Amino acid sequence: MNRFNSVLLVICILLFNNPLHAEKGGKLKLWYDKPASNWNEALPVGNGRLGAMIYGDPANEKIQLNEETFWSGGPSRNDNPDALKALPEVRQLIFDGKYHEAEKMVNENMVTDLHGSMYQVVGNLNLSFPGHENYTGYYRELDIEKAVFTTTYQVDGVTYTREIFASQPDQVIAIRLTADQPGKITLRAGMDGALQKSIKTLDNHTIEMTGLSGTHEGVTGQVKFNARSKFIAKGGSTSTEANKIKVEDANEVVILISIATNFLDYKTLTADEAEKCAGFLQKAENKSFEEIKGSHIAAYQNYFKRVSLDLGTSEAANQPTDVRIRDFSQNHDPELVSLYFQFGRYLLISSSQPGGQPANLQGIWNESTHPAWDSKYTININTEMNYWPAEKCNLPEMHEPLIQMVKELSESGRQTAQTMYGARGWGTHHNTDIWRISGVVDGAFWGMWPMGGAWLSQHLWEKYLYNGDTEYLETVYPVLKSACLFYQDFLIEEPTNNWLVVSPSVSPENAPAGRPSICAGATMDNQILFDLFTNTIKAAELLGKDKALTKEFRKIKDRLPPMQIGKHGQLQEWMEDLDSPDDKHRHVSHLYGLHPSNQISPYSSPELFDAARTTLNHRGDVSTGWSMGWKVNFWARLLDGNHAMKLIKDQLTLVGGESNRGGGGTYPNFLDAHPPFQIDGNFGCTAGIAEMLLQSHDGAIHFLPALPDDWENGKISGLRTPGGFEVSFNWKNGEVQQIEINSNLGGNCRIRVPNAMEFADNNSLSPATGENNNPFFDTPDIKEPLISERANLNPVNLTPTNLYDIQTEKGKTYTLIKRK
Ligand code: FUC
């Protein structure tokens, strides 16, 4: 290279390569002024299938790697065939009040030694940069508008930059290392993994690591992975050294990481992991980094950009993210909430892509071979919670992996229903894994809950309410119907009121004082079945199917126990009035009827509304991460924005880092702390923030149902509601200023607004009359609650609202403004 060319090259590098990280901070960035010192400070990138946690350490970069199908064991089942014989006696023991004996019998006859597989870590790519121990000007960010991680710092007057992202279109994790002077990049790179079988270099540019998943509970590990890191340097030299790659004096280095496993589907492990891994890599390496990055950002933004949220900003937003979390409860920092909301959407896009696995307890990010609760799918709340933001926060495609899992569980759960209970249809319990196990997990106290499939089935119906697509409904109807068939066979009549109840069961993971959890007719079970039967009947009617059968289903629905209000004015968790006002349990299962379901309404069932509020006040606020996320939604549904905000503050309490109060909260990297890290809290709170601003479960689209004093002014665009409406609006001093509604399906759009509105073109809006005739806004036909004579109920004081009907046409947009 002659002198002129070298000068040109330097200018080019200065102009185009650096600093690509743009300005420090910004609305949609998590940023820090130091590298991560532990996993809870590292930052996540993901493309649904591949995940990486990035530490951003100048001298020793660690990129911790996951692949969503790398689980311990292999195809397996955990149905105990002795269950069937024990069932009648277990039921009798429960009706006789012999709960300890019933629990013992379940543990001995219905549980097996198999409690599900573990989601496992693949390993790390480690990059060491000699001499980079002493750096200045350190900065690291995760730009969630682009889904790109960047870090930059200076050593000896040279500015170094690293960019990292996980590309969905190209199925690789891509890294680019640049410096603002030529020939300055020197590094050693190696891979390691706790479950690795071999690590070697394939050529001067590529490290290959292979591995096998762990054997667990007697099931031999059968998932094989192949992981490759390819180094493409500009300038300098690239060579190998003892299974490592050595790059000396390069101008720029691009690293592409590809990982694949032999997983094909939950029953089959016959894919060729090496071929798949090499295939992704070969395709990607033919493209420039800029091309890969461009299509990554475009694919990501196709989802991400659909929703924007502005709750205002303050000085506090100029601080690094960990400092903002630490100070959140003292500061007015509304932009941290909008960042958290968008981070939830970022996490869902990054961990749940069509065709892949649903987000597990840790999404896809896990550094351990033995993660907490195996990082499985806990389907008595946590997995469902992961998907609360999917439809309403405009990420319906991200919901697909869950829908697919429910379809698969309806196959594996059919055998469970038959083997364990001699029932038709399909059923699952409170946990599942990648092999779609559906028997009892963990023991009777936690696991004797045959309701996981019924709750998950609500997601099939919810998707239909949003897309109105009968072809889709056809594909899920058999799953809904079969879920009902299971309960048609499984429900039994209880002796006191002759209600049809689920037995044996539990109210998830809680027990009345002095008793085991095992019971019959828990409130949550009744509410879930009310929904399952209601929705299945509606689906059958819509599709013109199963007339005689739905008649039977209707009879069953009518014989389910009603909700009951107990002596403390609380909503009863169990069939008997056993609740204690001192019970602070993290699960608040019986409020399923309040959220996510719509069986409790301030307008149509004020007594139940008040009882739910009493229950929630008894339970208290601070709890595990996910429990607080749920409570944000509960308080939003209870129309109490300030209490919901209090829960957001509890959730956005820094755990780890400088202050550690113990309990749930948020880690410096913005991930939810159960503790330990569990992603449901992120998703639950994200959904809760949306729920504070817009609700659509109670017969109308309700604007600002639970606005806290902190968010006087703001705007949000792109939220979705049932009936195919897409809604954007802004507000000032708590009053809605302008609303835009896109109608994708047509039909009546009933809205509830705190202040009076009119059409922007001066046409007057019609006040709503009678029932909302939009079928997607049907309110449930709930039985009158039974109320204890000792219950003192509080009045429900509702702020007056304005209710309007807009007859919409498919494909049209309607603009409303505050009435002058
Ligand atoms: C349920 C919860 C726990 C935890 C676990 C993964 O068992 O009760 O708090 O979230 O799932």
CSV table of all heavy atoms in Angstrom, one decimal, residues 361 372-373 378 380-382 430-431 442 446 508-509 585-587 624 626 674 678 680, ligand 1:
chain,number,residue,atom,x,y,z
A,361,LEU,N,-38.3,-19.9,31.1
A,361,LEU,CA,-38.2,-19.1,32.3
A,361,LEU,C,-37.1,-18.0,32.1
A,361,LEU,O,-37.2,-17.0,32.8
A,361,LEU,CB,-37.9,-19.9,33.5
A,361,LEU,CG,-39.1,-20.7,34.1
A,361,LEU,CD1,-38.5,-21.6,35.3
A,361,LEU,CD2,-40.1,-19.8,34.7
A,372,ALA,N,-32.0,-22.5,37.6
A,372,ALA,CA,-33.1,-22.5,38.5
A,372,ALA,C,-34.3,-23.0,37.9
A,372,ALA,O,-34.6,-22.6,36.7
A,372,ALA,CB,-33.3,-21.1,39.1
A,373,TRP,N,-35.0,-23.9,38.5
A,373,TRP,CA,-36.2,-24.5,38.0
A,373,TRP,C,-36.0,-25.1,36.6
A,373,TRP,O,-36.9,-25.1,35.8
A,373,TRP,CB,-37.4,-23.6,38.0
A,373,TRP,CG,-37.9,-23.3,39.4
A,373,TRP,CD1,-38.6,-24.1,40.2
A,373,TRP,CD2,-37.7,-22.0,40.1
A,373,TRP,NE1,-38.8,-23.4,41.4
A,373,TRP,CE2,-38.3,-22.2,41.3
A,373,TRP,CE3,-37.1,-20.8,39.8
A,373,TRP,CZ2,-38.3,-21.2,42.3
A,373,TRP,CZ3,-37.1,-19.8,40.7
A,373,TRP,CH2,-37.7,-20.0,42.0
A,378,THR,N,-42.9,-23.1,33.2
A,378,THR,CA,-43.8,-23.3,34.3
A,378,THR,C,-45.1,-22.7,33.9
A,378,THR,O,-45.3,-21.5,33.6
A,378,THR,CB,-43.3,-22.5,35.6
A,378,THR,OG1,-41.9,-22.8,35.8
A,378,THR,CG2,-44.1,-22.9,36.8
A,380,ASN,N,-48.1,-22.7,35.3
A,380,ASN,CA,-49.2,-22.3,36.2
A,380,ASN,C,-49.1,-20.8,36.4
A,380,ASN,O,-49.8,-20.3,37.3
A,380,ASN,CB,-49.1,-23.0,37.5
A,380,ASN,CG,-47.8,-22.7,38.3
A,380,ASN,OD1,-47.1,-21.8,38.0
A,380,ASN,ND2,-47.6,-23.4,39.4
A,381,ILE,N,-48.4,-20.1,35.6
A,381,ILE,CA,-48.4,-18.6,35.5
A,381,ILE,C,-47.2,-18.1,34.6
A,381,ILE,O,-47.5,-17.3,33.7
A,381,ILE,CB,-48.2,-17.9,36.9
A,381,ILE,CG1,-48.1,-16.4,36.7
A,381,ILE,CG2,-47.1,-18.4,37.7
A,381,ILE,CD1,-49.3,-15.6,36.3
A,382,ASN,N,-46.0,-18.6,34.8
A,382,ASN,CA,-44.8,-17.9,34.2
A,382,ASN,C,-44.8,-17.9,32.7
A,382,ASN,O,-44.5,-16.9,32.1
A,382,ASN,CB,-43.6,-18.6,34.8
A,382,ASN,CG,-43.7,-18.8,36.3
A,382,ASN,OD1,-44.2,-19.8,36.7
A,382,ASN,ND2,-43.2,-17.8,37.1
A,430,HIS,N,-48.3,-28.7,35.9
A,430,HIS,CA,-47.9,-27.3,36.0
A,430,HIS,C,-46.5,-26.9,35.4
A,430,HIS,O,-46.1,-25.8,35.5
A,430,HIS,CB,-47.9,-26.9,37.5
A,430,HIS,CG,-46.6,-27.0,38.3
A,430,HIS,ND1,-46.0,-28.2,38.4
A,430,HIS,CD2,-45.9,-26.1,38.9
A,430,HIS,CE1,-44.9,-28.1,39.1
A,430,HIS,NE2,-44.8,-26.8,39.5
A,431,ASN,N,-45.9,-27.9,34.8
A,431,ASN,CA,-44.6,-27.7,34.1
A,431,ASN,C,-44.5,-28.4,32.9
A,431,ASN,O,-45.1,-29.5,32.8
A,431,ASN,CB,-43.4,-28.2,35.0
A,431,ASN,CG,-42.8,-27.2,36.0
A,431,ASN,OD1,-41.6,-27.2,36.2
A,431,ASN,ND2,-43.6,-26.3,36.5
A,442,ASP,N,-42.4,-32.2,40.3
A,442,ASP,CA,-42.0,-31.6,41.6
A,442,ASP,C,-42.7,-32.2,42.8
A,442,ASP,O,-42.3,-31.8,43.9
A,442,ASP,CB,-42.2,-30.1,41.6
A,442,ASP,CG,-41.2,-29.4,40.7
A,442,ASP,OD1,-40.2,-30.0,40.3
A,442,ASP,OD2,-41.5,-28.2,40.5
A,446,TRP,N,-46.8,-28.9,44.6
A,446,TRP,CA,-46.7,-27.9,43.5
A,446,TRP,C,-47.4,-28.4,42.3
A,446,TRP,O,-47.9,-27.6,41.5
A,446,TRP,CB,-45.3,-27.6,43.3
A,446,TRP,CG,-44.5,-27.1,44.5
A,446,TRP,CD1,-44.5,-25.9,44.9
A,446,TRP,CD2,-43.8,-27.9,45.4
A,446,TRP,NE1,-43.7,-25.8,46.1
A,446,TRP,CE2,-43.3,-27.1,46.4
A,446,TRP,CE3,-43.5,-29.3,45.5
A,446,TRP,CZ2,-42.6,-27.6,47.5
A,446,TRP,CZ3,-42.8,-29.8,46.6
A,446,TRP,CH2,-42.3,-28.9,47.6
A,508,PRO,N,-52.5,-22.9,42.6
A,508,PRO,CA,-51.1,-23.0,42.4
A,508,PRO,C,-50.2,-22.5,43.6
A,508,PRO,O,-50.1,-21.4,44.0
A,508,PRO,CB,-50.9,-22.2,41.2
A,508,PRO,CG,-52.1,-22.6,40.4
A,508,PRO,CD,-53.2,-22.6,41.4
A,509,GLU,N,-49.6,-23.6,44.1
A,509,GLU,CA,-48.4,-23.5,45.0
A,509,GLU,C,-48.8,-22.8,46.4
A,509,GLU,O,-47.9,-22.5,47.2
A,509,GLU,CB,-47.2,-22.8,44.3
A,509,GLU,CG,-46.9,-23.5,43.0
A,509,GLU,CD,-45.6,-23.1,42.4
A,509,GLU,OE1,-44.7,-22.8,43.1
A,509,GLU,OE2,-45.5,-23.1,41.1
A,585,HIS,N,-48.6,-14.8,50.0
A,585,HIS,CA,-48.1,-15.7,49.0
A,585,HIS,C,-47.9,-15.0,47.7
A,585,HIS,O,-48.8,-14.2,47.3
A,585,HIS,CB,-49.0,-17.0,48.8
A,585,HIS,CG,-48.2,-18.1,48.2
A,585,HIS,ND1,-48.2,-18.3,46.8
A,585,HIS,CD2,-47.5,-19.1,48.7
A,585,HIS,CE1,-47.4,-19.3,46.6
A,585,HIS,NE2,-47.0,-19.9,47.7
A,586,ARG,N,-46.8,-15.4,46.9
A,586,ARG,CA,-46.6,-14.7,45.7
A,586,ARG,C,-47.6,-15.0,44.6
A,586,ARG,O,-47.9,-14.1,43.8
A,586,ARG,CB,-45.2,-15.1,45.2
A,586,ARG,CG,-45.0,-16.6,44.9
A,586,ARG,CD,-43.6,-17.0,44.8
A,586,ARG,NE,-43.5,-18.5,44.5
A,586,ARG,CZ,-43.6,-19.4,45.5
A,586,ARG,NH1,-43.8,-19.0,46.8
A,586,ARG,NH2,-43.6,-20.7,45.2
A,587,HIS,N,-48.2,-16.2,44.6
A,587,HIS,CA,-49.2,-16.5,43.6
A,587,HIS,C,-50.5,-15.9,44.1
A,587,HIS,O,-50.8,-15.9,45.3
A,587,HIS,CB,-49.5,-18.0,43.5
A,587,HIS,CG,-48.4,-18.7,42.8
A,587,HIS,ND1,-48.5,-19.1,41.5
A,587,HIS,CD2,-47.2,-19.1,43.2
A,587,HIS,CE1,-47.4,-19.7,41.1
A,587,HIS,NE2,-46.6,-19.7,42.1
A,624,THR,N,-41.9,-11.7,44.7
A,624,THR,CA,-40.9,-12.0,43.6
A,624,THR,C,-41.2,-11.2,42.4
A,624,THR,O,-42.3,-10.5,42.3
A,624,THR,CB,-41.2,-13.5,43.2
A,624,THR,OG1,-42.5,-13.6,42.8
A,624,THR,CG2,-40.9,-14.5,44.4
A,626,TRP,N,-41.9,-11.7,39.2
A,626,TRP,CA,-43.1,-12.0,38.4
A,626,TRP,C,-44.4,-11.6,39.1
A,626,TRP,O,-45.4,-11.2,38.5
A,626,TRP,CB,-43.2,-13.4,37.8
A,626,TRP,CG,-43.3,-14.5,38.8
A,626,TRP,CD1,-42.3,-15.3,39.3
A,626,TRP,CD2,-44.5,-14.9,39.5
A,626,TRP,NE1,-42.8,-16.2,40.3
A,626,TRP,CE2,-44.1,-15.9,40.4
A,626,TRP,CE3,-45.8,-14.5,39.5
A,626,TRP,CZ2,-45.1,-16.6,41.2
A,626,TRP,CZ3,-46.8,-15.1,40.3
A,626,TRP,CH2,-46.4,-16.2,41.1
A,674,HIS,N,-36.2,-12.6,40.0
A,674,HIS,CA,-37.2,-13.3,40.9
A,674,HIS,C,-36.9,-13.1,42.3
A,674,HIS,O,-37.9,-12.7,43.0
A,674,HIS,CB,-37.2,-14.8,40.5
A,674,HIS,CG,-38.2,-15.7,41.3
A,674,HIS,ND1,-38.0,-16.0,42.6
A,674,HIS,CD2,-39.3,-16.3,40.9
A,674,HIS,CE1,-38.9,-16.8,43.0
A,674,HIS,NE2,-39.8,-17.0,42.0
A,678,GLN,N,-35.5,-14.3,36.1
A,678,GLN,CA,-36.6,-15.0,35.5
A,678,GLN,C,-37.3,-13.9,34.6
A,678,GLN,O,-37.6,-12.9,35.0
A,678,GLN,CB,-37.5,-15.5,36.5
A,678,GLN,CG,-38.1,-16.8,36.2
A,678,GLN,CD,-38.9,-17.4,37.4
A,678,GLN,OE1,-38.4,-18.1,38.2
A,678,GLN,NE2,-40.2,-17.1,37.4
A,680,ASP,N,-40.1,-13.7,33.1
A,680,ASP,CA,-41.6,-13.4,33.2
A,680,ASP,C,-41.9,-12.0,33.8
A,680,ASP,O,-42.8,-11.3,33.4
A,680,ASP,CB,-42.3,-14.5,33.9
A,680,ASP,CG,-41.5,-15.0,35.1
A,680,ASP,OD1,-40.7,-14.2,35.6
A,680,ASP,OD2,-41.7,-16.1,35.6
B,1,FUC,C1,-43.4,-21.1,40.2
B,1,FUC,C2,-43.3,-20.0,41.2
B,1,FUC,C3,-41.9,-19.7,41.6
B,1,FUC,C4,-41.0,-19.7,40.3
B,1,FUC,C5,-41.1,-20.9,39.6
B,1,FUC,C6,-40.3,-20.9,38.3
B,1,FUC,O1,-43.1,-22.3,40.8
B,1,FUC,O2,-44.0,-20.2,42.3
B,1,FUC,O3,-41.9,-18.4,42.2
B,1,FUC,O4,-41.4,-18.6,39.6
B,1,FUC,O5,-42.5,-21.1,39.2
